[in-house]
Amino acid sequence: GPLMLKSRLKILLAEHHMTQSKLSQLTSIRPGTITNIVNDSIRQIPVEAVCRICELFHCDIGDIFEYIPEEKE
């Protein structure tokens, strides 16, 4: 089925007027990982990366990922 978690990282970055590369510099998260999160192409959520983003933005994991219930047929 489709991914149940939708990334809000692009929105979060826009709200903080920050680029993906700047986020990478500030958190030491690999640029590819950040891109994958933004594009919803990540298969496993890297806990350490999420914690660093939460720490940087003083936010919660729910601010980074939104749960989308699967549509029932």
Side-chain angles (χ1 to χ4, degrees), residues 20-56:
Q20 290 185 38
S21 59
K22 182 70 176 171
L23 178 63
S24 176
Q25 287 171 11
L26 291 174
T27 57
S28 305
I29 300 168
R30 289 187 334 140
T33 300
I34 292 170
T35 301
N36 285 342
I37 294 173
V38 166
N39 293 337
D40 283 315
S41 55
I42 200 144
R43 286 281 157 262
Q44 294 173 316
I45 295 177
V47 172
E48 190 176 341
V50 171
C51 288
R52 288 180 188 168
I53 294 168
C54 287
E55 183 177 41
L56 179 68

Side-chain angles (χ1 to χ4, degrees), residues 9 12-19 23 26-27 51-60 63-64:
L9 186 54
L12 213 51
L13 287 170
E15 286 172 352
H16 289 85
H17 308 289
M18 191 180 294
T19 61
L23 178 63
L26 291 174
T27 57
C51 288
R52 288 180 188 168
I53 294 168
C54 287
E55 183 177 41
L56 179 68
F57 291 141
H58 305 288
C59 70
D60 203 351
D63 296 311
I64 304 171

